[in-house]
Amino acid sequence: MNILFVADVFGVPGRRVVEDRLPGLRDDLSIDFCVVNGENAADGAGITPRLAERLLAAGADAITLGNHVWRRSEIGPYLAEADRVIRPANVASGSPGRGLVVVPAADGTPVAVLNLLGQLFLNTPVGPFEIVDDLVEEARRSAQVVLVDFHAEATSEKVAVARWLDGRVTAVIGTHTHIQTSDARVLPGGTAAITDAGMTGPHDSVIGVEADLAIRRMRTGMPVRFRPAEGDVRLEGVLVACGEDGRATSCEPVRVSA
Ligand SMILES: [Fe+2]
């Protein structure tokens, strides 16, 4: 099975490149299942139900989110009902939505998708290591293919989670930092991993934001309203191949210009 993971979709430029390129990529790469991280789809922070529906219509089988999940108030009731859009499993207990979903691939094979937040620098209420084992066990009861979007800031934590899950899941894909790392690999136990899948959006920017605005906020410490940048738009992500047993056989970075 070929699995495409599309990295963090940032603002209108990110959503557009997904709509323009994802259907063709699905055909060209014979993709059986596609996960899109959509947590920056709404102007760079959060997602709306309308945008989630557009990403699904463009070819996402499942959408994962991250630390900006609650930026748009209308997303709560939507997540409570959604069966293909998930938020991190380790947000505050009682939050609407869920962090694990099982969705059939093109050929009907069940694929479990799990979304988790890192703890370092993100003020996450529950540490990922506290819940990940139970979640993986739950996922494996319904699916051999298990994909983890680990949305985290620190490289060390992302590598540690990938190593911890090696042999128990198909892939651990790092998201959130928006800079694709050069460590796409299959770990010894058969788990594909990359520390960060990159960003689907404008790369002539500071991780998606107009550079001047991001620099002004950092230099002055004053509030500056961020806008998504526009230049050098790319679809980035990772292509993972795996067998019926869910073990990954390859893991390659994807980088496509708009
Ligand atoms: Fe994030």
Side-chain angles (χ1 to χ4, degrees):
M1 175 184 294
N2 292 324
I3 297 154
L4 177 64
F5 191 96
V6 177
D8 312 35
V9 174
F10 198 99
V12 171
R15 190 255 303 154
R16 271 201 198 121
V17 70
V18 169
E19 290 183 329
D20 289 349
R21 302 302 299 269
L22 184 55
L25 275 178
R26 280 199 73 134
D27 286 346
D28 294 348
L29 302 173
S30 303
I31 299 301
D32 302 292
F33 195 84
C34 176
V35 181
V36 174
N37 181 295
E39 84 132 357
N40 303 113
D43 279 338
I47 192 168
T48 61
R50 189 181 63 87
L51 288 170
E53 292 295 323
R54 286 185 75 149
L55 294 175
L56 292 169
D61 293 298
I63 295 174
T64 51
L65 299 170
N67 53 308
H68 291 306
V69 54
W70 308 126
R71 283 293 188 100
R72 305 290 166 141
S73 54
E74 63 267 45
I75 200 66
Y78 177 80
L79 285 180
E81 302 292 323
D83 54 5
R84 292 199 284 158
V85 186
I86 57 174
R87 43 82 173 156
N90 49 342
V91 294
S93 60
S95 301
R98 51 199 164 137
L100 167 65
V101 75
V102 179
V103 179
D107 68 353
T109 305
V111 176
V113 184
L114 216 166
N115 194 188
L116 271 178
L117 275 177
Q119 192 158 44
L120 291 170
F121 315 126
L122 284 177
N123 297 321
T124 305
V126 182
F129 284 105
E130 289 181 45
I131 61 164
V132 70
D133 292 342
D134 287 347
L135 280 169
V136 166
E137 218 171 278
E138 186 185 340
R140 286 173 56 121
R141 280 199 288 271
S142 319
Q144 306 256 49
V145 179
V146 179
L147 310 175
V148 179
D149 173 348
F150 186 45
H151 196 81
E153 186 78 48
T155 303
S156 56
E157 193 178 15
K158 289 165 150 181
V159 174
V161 165
R163 293 291 296 256
W164 177 244
L165 296 179
D166 184 23
R168 291 191 281 158
V169 303
T170 304
V172 178
I173 306 298
T175 58
H176 176 70
T177 59
H178 295 187
I179 303 295
Q180 191 178 73
T181 54
S182 60
D183 64 339
R185 66 216 184 274
V186 178
L187 294 166
T191 294
I194 188 169
T195 296
D196 204 282
M199 176 178 68
T200 297
H203 282 257
D204 180 6
S205 66
V206 173
I207 63 167
V209 173
E210 274 188 25
D212 290 353
L213 303 176
I215 292 166
R216 194 187 312 156
R217 188 193 279 184
M218 289 180 198
R219 290 189 70 224
T220 65
M222 302 287 284
V224 175
R225 194 179 167 80
F226 281 176
R227 269 194 310 269
E230 290 175 1
D232 190 14
V233 176
R234 294 179 220 152
L235 184 154
E236 288 189 341
V238 190
L239 178 63
V240 173
C242 72
E244 278 180 17
D245 58 359
R247 284 172 73 94
T249 52
S250 72
C251 179
E252 302 291 336
V254 172
R255 225 176 195 208
V256 179
S257 289

